[in-house]
């Protein structure tokens, strides 16, 4: 019996290869996309959860001077925290380290993923060690823990344990004391190399951040216990060193006072956005958006399956009729069709596995960021995929199975009109499919327009052609000489030594008092020399630039937002703030932090002690050549310290990185959704044409021309797409408007965007329908009629 | 054999006041109106009448594919008029064989597999299935085409396969709905001879037909008009059943 089921299923699939291809391909594509997105969502939601007792681990974040909060916190925090919070079982200090030179034998490497951690680190975070002892790996100051990937790169197939590597330009020898297994759960504390942390000089005050401080609480302890301990630290340690005149309560109420937050480890990846987060931070919006898109794609694919299977019912009707006449009960037929669905789903699962792999590769290639790691590497994934495909297939197969099994044999067997299906339902499903697809297109287009807007909108400075030497500090005493040499390079227009460039990593904040202010106001500070304005292209609106004189040591240049925030009125030039600082100029507002929020107040303070070198290259000049010149020059100054450079426009682009990744991911899967929807439509049209062959023949015999037939066949489907459009517009408008509300400077969703999305869907539908309609319309009517 | 013989036989079908009414949104159509029939085992009945007279409806009800709206229908001693679809399906299995005008062979199955199909639902051993399928194919002279697919056969051959499928499970009743309607006269003749042979071998056959020539093969012709039996007559011809000599 089962053999008969399978034979029948197989032959009827093989007999209609186009139908089978469409149905199988569409289902597999949908399953693959949903599976990949499911993996991504799962990955993002389970970050850091694989560590033992991870629910007891917290990170302490801090803030002071109202600087927006830091993921890092104070150097001395863990010295006092266990005494003030008895619930703390252990604590560990971690620090990130920029690009590090590593020498192994004769080879020189540059490793960018390096963490410094104390000896408790691997006790608290249960990384899976391929070799070595986690408890003692970072105990000795010359220890080193490598990832398996790095161990292979450095030492090939030789065992890495006990090998020596030299770290930094000073070539400090380290012994490999541990190797972390390659397959490890996702964590924001991942690295390729972990080195023992040597503690900085202790600092007396609480307004510096140095380490990521993690604590593990005793079993049964609550977050509130830790928070109470942190409050005690504010009272007993931070407040006494603040130099504040008032009581603790008055101090604590100040926005600029030291604050602490206990962050559950589980929340860090997705829900923490402090300064100096360990990249890459997750974006909850992207996780939810892609999760929803995954469901939608699956829905579209499931609808295809239902539609194509029921549309094909004409083909199966006779079989149902014959079997019923033979006395086969309905439940037995349902069983048969579900068996078919299971076989079909298994085929789809195999295909989906391959497609998922291709999809991940295509996604990584197109967007430059891998979504998740390869699907086929984990054996467990394959089982999940099969279970998933079966679940989807059976769910999607239920309706067609009951629908087919419901056929009444008497009519069918007479050889007359067969149950050509539930048109209403099929139509509604197509409307739904296209509504979802069009809404997704609107979403993608909105994200892209907003992105373009953010990139093109005036930033208040001209970042193009500005290069930044991030680690100029490494030159020490020679920095001045280096700057002079750079100034002489042919490709260089001018340079500025500063502490901070817009869209950079540094943060500096100061507190300002002004006559019209009741309380001191924390404002972002940019330490700048007299070349800063022209080098970055900041536009002076009033007053003057800094001058290279000692008198300017108390001169300030404000942006418009700072003028307003300080209440300096229409004529700020010549006014005094902070009692002795003189406002000498006003520049137009410029962006320097997030592209989402409003431009914040900024104060430029004169100073020549910068450690970051900003270089404006000649416009239209050859950037690559100029970069080479600067690099070559650096080589002569610091041959062992690789230069770290960036371009200001890239840095600004990086500020919109989350939006860009979101846009690409949404667009990618939107395209997929469209393709799947089109495949389903193609199949439906094929069946409609088949069903109406006789009608078309009769109409042609009666004198209908090709255009009339084309219209006849296309109208029905284009109407469905139009309905879908009408349904999609309000929903898409609402959702995307809410998304745009998160931006201080945003586009408005105009009708053009909807027309573009609708037009695209219509075009795809038209192309899908008309090719087949044309073939039907131009076919020989005599053949169609004789066929009956 | 004459009608007096037949009167002595065991009744297979007995209907009384059988009614079938189709209701759509606007109209109520009476397809069968007060049909009373008495069919004995071993009979060969032809039902005739113009299009729309209710022939097919009657056949569908007799074949347990459809339910009457009223009246009684006793099949082999059991009143089946109130049976639900599930019980009717159970009864159909192995009891009834169908032959259709449009053959209704399953295109994706071979000749052999089509004929074997009814046996798959009768929990027989595969050896027995094989034996009976081959016997049925032999009987209709299609054994040499067992591995062909229906589209590779002529209409007459397809109908012979359909007949093999109808008899393979040795049903008590064979229902044939215009079995020659899609065939030319020589193929039609062959099919009718085949049915006749089956009847002579003991099968009860109820056939709907337009063709007076086909009706000639039956023992009894029932004429329907507007859903009612308007006449009923025994064919004058004498028939000889193998196990019983005629007069």
């Amino acid at each position: 019996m089962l053999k008969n089921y399978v034979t029948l299923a197989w032959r009827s699939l093989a007999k209609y290869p186009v139908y089978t291809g469409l149905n199988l391909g569409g289902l597999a594509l949908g399953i693959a996309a949903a599976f990949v997105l499911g993996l991504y969502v799962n990955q993002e939601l389970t970050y850091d959860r694989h560590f033992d007792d991870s629910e007891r681990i917290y990170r302490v974040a801090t803030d002071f001077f109202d600087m927006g909060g830091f993921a890092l916190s104070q150097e001395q925090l863990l010295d006092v925290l266990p005494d003030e919070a008895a619930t703390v079982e252990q604590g560990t200090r971690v620090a990130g380290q920029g690009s590090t030179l590593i020498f192994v034998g004769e080879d020189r490497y540059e490793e960018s993923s390096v963490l410094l951690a104390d000896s408790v680190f691997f006790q608290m975070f249960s990384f899976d060690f391929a070799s070595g002892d986690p408890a003692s790996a970072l105990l000795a100051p010359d220890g080193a823990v490598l990832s398996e990937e790095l161990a292979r790169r450095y030492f090939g197939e030789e065992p890495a344990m006990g090998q020596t590597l030299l770290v930094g330009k000073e070539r400090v020898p380290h012994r490999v004391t541990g190797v972390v297994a390659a397959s490890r759960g996702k964590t924001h504390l991942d690295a390729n190399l972990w080195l023992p942390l040597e503690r900085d000089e202790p600092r007396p005050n609480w307004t510096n951040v140095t380490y990521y401080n993690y604590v593990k609480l005793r079993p049964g302890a609550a977050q509130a216990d830790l928070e109470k301990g942190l409050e005690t630290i504010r009272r007993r340690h931070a407040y006494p060193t603040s130099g504040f005149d008032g009581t603790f309560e008055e101090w604590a109420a100040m926005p600029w006072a030291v604050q602490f937050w206990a962050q559950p480890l589980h929340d860090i990846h997705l829900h923490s956005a402090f300064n100096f987060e360990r990249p890459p931070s997750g974006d909850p919006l992207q996780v939810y958006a892609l999760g929803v898109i995954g469901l939608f794609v699956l829905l579209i694919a499931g609808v295809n399956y239902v539609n194509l299977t029921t549309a094909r019912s004409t083909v199966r009707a006779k079989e149902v009729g014959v079997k019923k006449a033979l006395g086969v009960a309905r439940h037995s037929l349902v069983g048969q069709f579900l068996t078919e669905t299971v076989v079909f789903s298994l085929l789809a699962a195999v295909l989906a596995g391959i497609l998922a792999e291709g999809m991940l590769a295509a996604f990584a290639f197109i967007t430059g960021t891998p979504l998740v790691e390869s699907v086929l590497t984990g054996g467990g994934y394959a089982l999940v995929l099969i279970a998933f495909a079966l679940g989807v297939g059976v769910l999607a197969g239920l309706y067609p199975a009951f629908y087919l099994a419901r056929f009444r044999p008497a009519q069918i067997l007479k050889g007359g009109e067969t149950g050509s299906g539930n048109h209403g339902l099929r139509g509604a499903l197509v409307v739904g499919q296209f509504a979802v697809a069009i809404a997704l297109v609107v979403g993608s287009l909105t994200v892209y327009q907003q992105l373009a807007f953010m990139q093109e909108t005036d930033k208040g400075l001209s970042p193009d052609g500005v290069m930044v030497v991030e680690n100029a500090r490494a030159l020490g005493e020679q920095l001045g000489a280096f700057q002079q040499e750079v100034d002489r390079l042919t490709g260089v227009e001018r340079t500025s030594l500063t502490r901070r460039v817009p869209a950079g990593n540094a943060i500096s904040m100061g507190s300002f008092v002004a006559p019209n202010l009741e309380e001191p106001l924390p404002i972002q500070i940019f330490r700048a020399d007299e070349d800063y304005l022209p080098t970055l292209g900041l536009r002076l609106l009033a007053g003057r630039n800094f001058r290279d004189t000692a008198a300017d040591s108390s001169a300030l240049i404000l942006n418009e937002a700072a003028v307003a925030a300080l209440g300096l009125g229409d004529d700020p030039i010549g006014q005094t703030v902070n009692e002795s600082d003189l406002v000498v100029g006003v520049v137009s507002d410029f962006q320097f932090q997030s592209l989402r929020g409003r431009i914040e107040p900024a104060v430029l303070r004169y100073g020549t002690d910068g450690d970051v070198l900003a270089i404006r290259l000649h416009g239209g000049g050859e950037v690559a050549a100029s970069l080479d010149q600067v690099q070559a020059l650096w080589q002569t100054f610091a041959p062992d310290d690789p230069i770290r450079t960036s371009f200001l426009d890239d840095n600004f682009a990086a500020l919109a990185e989350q939006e860009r990744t979101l846009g690409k991911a949404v667009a990618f899967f939107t395209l997929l959704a469209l393709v799947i929807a089109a495949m389903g439509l193609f199949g439906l049209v094929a069946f409609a044409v088949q069903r109406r062959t006789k009608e078309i023949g009769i109409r042609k015999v009666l004198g209908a021309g090709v255009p009339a037939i084309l219209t006849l066949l296309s109208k029905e489907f284009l109407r469905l797409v139009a309905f879908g459009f009408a349904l999609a517009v309000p929903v898409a408008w609402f959702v995307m408007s809410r998304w745009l509300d998160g931006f201080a400077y945003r586009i408005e969703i105009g009708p053009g965007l909807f027309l573009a999305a609708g037009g695209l869907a219509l075009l795809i539908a038209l192309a899908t329908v008309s090719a087949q309609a044309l073939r039907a319309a131009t076919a020989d009517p005599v053949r169609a009629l004789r066929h009956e | 054999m004459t009608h007096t013989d037949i009167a002595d036989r065991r009744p297979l079908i007995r209907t009384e006041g059988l009614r079938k009414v189709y209701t759509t949104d606007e109209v109520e159509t009476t397809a069968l109106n007060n049909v009373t029939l008495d069919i004995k085992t071993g009979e060969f009945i032809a039902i005739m009448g113009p299009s729309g007279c209710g022939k097919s409806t009657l056949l569908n009800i007799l074949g347990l594919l459809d339910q009457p709206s009223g009246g009684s229908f006793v099949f082999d001693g059991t009143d089946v008029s109130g049976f639900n679809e599930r019980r009717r399906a159970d009864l159909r299995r192995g009891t009834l064989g169908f032959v259709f005008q449009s053959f209704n062979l399953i295109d994706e199955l071979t000749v052999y597999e089509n004929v074997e199909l009814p046996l798959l639902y009768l929990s027989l051993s595969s050896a027995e299935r094989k034996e009976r399928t081959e016997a049925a194919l032999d009987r209709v002279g299609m054994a040499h085409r067992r591995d062909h697919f229906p589209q590779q056969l002529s209409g007459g051959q397809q109908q012979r396969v359909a007949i093999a499928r109808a008899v393979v499970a040795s049903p008590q009743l064979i229902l044939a709905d215009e079995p020659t309607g899609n065939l030319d006269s020589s193929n039609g003749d062959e099919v009718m001879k085949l049915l006749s042979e089956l009847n002579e071998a003991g099968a009860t056959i109820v056939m709907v037909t337009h063709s007076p020539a086909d009706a000639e093969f039956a023992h009894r012709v029932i004429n329907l008009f507007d859903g009612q039996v308007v006449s009923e007559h025994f064919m004058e011809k004498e028939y000889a059943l193998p196990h019983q000599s005629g007069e």
Side-chain angles (χ1 to χ4, degrees), chain A residues 11 318 322 324-325 327 413, chain B residues 89 92-93 104-105 108 113:
Chain A
R11 289 197 193 138
K318 188 160 78 177
V322 169
K324 280 199 163 180
L413 295 174
Chain B
R92 284 202 295 271
R93 202 178 315 137
N104 282 325
L105 296 176
E108 288 78 22
E113 287 162 341

Side-chain angles (χ1 to χ4, degrees), chain A residues 70-92:
Chain A
F70 297 98
L72 296 162
S73 50
Q74 292 81 357
E75 199 270 347
Q76 69 274 34
L77 180 77
L78 289 186
D79 291 339
V80 295
L81 186 56
D83 294 335
E84 306 291 3
T87 55
V88 172
E89 190 175 280
Q90 53 185 182
T92 185

